[in-house]
C-alpha cells in the first residue's frame, strides 16, 4: 500500500519522482536481461548432466573441450565454531578423478534462538578452466543445504567482475546504505561523494544513481547503484575486448541475496537432480 507521505512527495518533488521512475525501469531491465540467462545452468541442471552411476560422491561437470559430461568428486568438511554458539563452517570442494582441486566454496550456518537457521557468505573459487559449470554445482550444493535447513535467504558478496555470474544465478542486490537526497540538483555532488572511491576504475559520469522513495523521502540506493554500475562496466569490458571472463575491476563489491521467487526457481530446477542426498557425508541436520 502506497503511503500518503509517498504520494505527497511525488507532487512536491516531481524531478526526484521522475528519477525514481527511471531508476525502477533501469532495475527491471537489469533483472530481465540477466537473471537466469545462463545456458550452462540449464544444461548442468538437466537429466543429461545428472549422475546416475554407482561411484560414491560423484557428479557430472561439463568438459570445456568436448562439451560432454565428465565425472568429478565432491568432498565436504563441516567444522563447529567453538567461539560462536551453534555456528558451523562448511567447505565444499570439487576435485578431478586424480584428486586435483577444481573448485571450492565455503559458507557458515548458525542456529538461531527460535530454532531457525541463518546462512552467512564465504568465498567461492574455480581453479580449473577445463571444466564448465563448476560454480553452478557449488551454488547447487549451497542452495540444497539451505533448503534442507529451511533457510529462505542466501547471502552473497560479489566482486565487481563476478556480478554478472551471480545475477545470472538469481542473486539480486539487497537494499543497503541509503543516502538521502533533498533536491535533484544535489544528485551530482552526492554521487561523486558516494562513489568516487567505491568505483575506482569507473568514471563518475558513467554512474547512474538508483533513486528510491521510502515513506516520502528520496534516497540513492548505494548497493543497487554499485551492483548495476559493476554490471554495466563488466558488460562494456566483455564487449570491448571480446572476452569470456574478466579478471578484475577495481570497484567495490556489492551485496546480494537469493530469495523469494528466484530461490523457488532453483528449487524447481534442482528437483530430481539433487546431489546432497546421494553423497556419503554425514551432515548435521538439524545443527545442534
Amino acid at each position: 500500500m502506497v503511503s500518503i507521505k509517498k504520494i505527497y512527495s511525488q507532487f512536491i518533488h516531481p524531478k526526484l519522482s521522475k528519477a525514481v521512475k527511471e531508476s525502477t525501469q533501469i532495475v527491471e531491465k537489469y533483472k530481465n536481461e540477466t537473471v537466469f540467462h545462463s545456458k550452462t545452468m540449464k544444461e548442468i541442471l538437466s537429466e543429461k548432466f545428472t549422475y546416475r552411476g554407482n561411484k560414491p560422491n560423484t557428479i557430472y561437470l561439463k568438459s570445456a573441450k568436448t562439451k560432454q559430461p565428465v565425472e568429478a568428486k565432491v568432498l565436504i568438511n563441516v567444522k563447529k565454531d567453538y567461539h560462536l554458539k551453534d555456528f558451523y563452517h562448511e567447505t565444499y570442494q570439487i576435485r578431478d578423478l586424480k584428486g586435483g582441486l577444481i573448485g571450492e566454496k565455503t559458507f557458515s550456518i548458525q542456529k538461531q534462538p527460535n530454532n531457525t537457521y541463518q546462512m552467512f557468505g564465504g568465498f567461492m573459487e574455480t581453479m580449473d578452466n577445463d571444466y564448465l559449470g563448476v560454480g553452478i554445482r557449488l551454488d547447487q550444493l549451497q542452495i540444497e543445504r539451505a533448503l534442507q535447513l529451511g533457510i529462505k535467504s542466501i547471502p552473497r558478496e560479489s566482486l565487481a567482475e563476478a556480478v554478472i555470474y551471480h545475477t545470472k544465478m538469481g542473486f539480486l542486490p539487497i537494499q543497503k546504505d541509503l543516502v538521502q537526497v533533498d533536491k535533484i540538483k544535489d544528485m551530482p555532488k552526492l554521487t561523486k561523494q558516494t562513489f568516487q572511491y567505491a568505483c575506482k576504475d569507473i568514471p563518475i559520469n558513467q554512474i547512474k544513481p538508483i533513486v528510491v522513495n521510502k515513506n516520502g523521502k528520496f534516497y540513492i540506493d548505494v548497493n543497487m547503484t554499485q551492483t548495476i554500475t559493476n554490471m554495466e562496466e563488466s558488460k562494456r569490458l566483455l564487449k570491448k575486448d571480446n572476452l569470456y571472463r574478466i579478471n578484475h575491476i577495481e570497484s567495490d563489491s556489492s551485496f546480494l541475496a537469493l530469495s523469494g521467487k528466484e530461490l523457488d526457481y532453483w528449487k524447481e530446477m534442482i528437483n530430481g537432480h539433487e546431489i546432497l542426498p546421494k553423497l556419503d557425508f554425514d551432515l548435521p541436520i538439524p545443527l545442534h
Side-chain angles (χ1 to χ4, degrees), residues 160-171:
E161 60 269 19
V163 73
I164 291 180
Y165 166 77
H166 294 307
T167 307
K168 284 184 176 183
M169 295 300 108
F171 287 81

Side-chain angles (χ1 to χ4, degrees), residues 43-44 49 60-64 67-70 130-132:
E43 283 185 310
I44 291 295
F49 285 87
Y60 279 146
L61 299 174
K62 184 178 180 180
S63 168
K67 311 303 181 186
Q68 296 302 308
V70 58
D130 290 338
Y131 302 88
L132 302 177

Side-chain angles (χ1 to χ4, degrees), residues 43 54 100 106 113 129 171 174-175 198 238 259 262 274 276 288:
E43 283 185 310
N54 298 318
T106 66
N129 293 329
F171 287 81
I174 60 173
Q175 194 168 87
L238 288 171
S259 61
E262 287 77 28
E274 295 86 354
L276 283 185
H288 60 275

Side-chain angles (χ1 to χ4, degrees), residues 31-90:
K31 292 178 182 178
N32 292 337
E33 291 183 352
T34 314
V35 175
F36 297 130
H37 284 228
S38 170
K39 180 181 177 182
T40 303
M41 177 189 179
K42 292 180 174 62
E43 283 185 310
I44 291 295
L45 296 174
S46 70
E47 185 63 28
K48 179 178 179 180
F49 285 87
T50 300
Y51 181 75
R52 302 293 186 187
N54 298 318
K55 297 179 183 178
N57 305 321
T58 301
I59 61 170
Y60 279 146
L61 299 174
K62 184 178 180 180
S63 168
K65 183 177 181 180
T66 68
K67 311 303 181 186
Q68 296 302 308
V70 58
E71 292 180 356
K73 295 287 187 179
V74 177
L75 296 174
I76 302 176
N77 181 264
V78 180
K79 290 185 178 180
K80 182 177 175 61
D81 190 304
Y82 291 99
H83 301 286
L84 298 172
K85 184 179 179 182
D86 295 326
F87 203 95
Y88 292 78
H89 303 284
E90 303 196 359

Side-chain angles (χ1 to χ4, degrees), residues 164-202:
I164 291 180
Y165 166 77
H166 294 307
T167 307
K168 284 184 176 183
M169 295 300 108
F171 287 81
L172 298 176
I174 60 173
Q175 194 168 87
K176 186 176 183 290
D177 300 330
L178 300 176
V179 173
Q180 188 168 343
V181 184
D182 295 320
K183 300 175 183 178
I184 195 70
K185 68 178 183 179
D186 296 336
M187 194 78 74
K189 179 182 177 181
L190 289 171
T191 301
K192 183 176 181 179
Q193 289 176 346
T194 305
F195 296 103
Q196 63 178 333
Y197 300 113
C199 302
K200 302 176 187 66
D201 273 356
I202 306 169

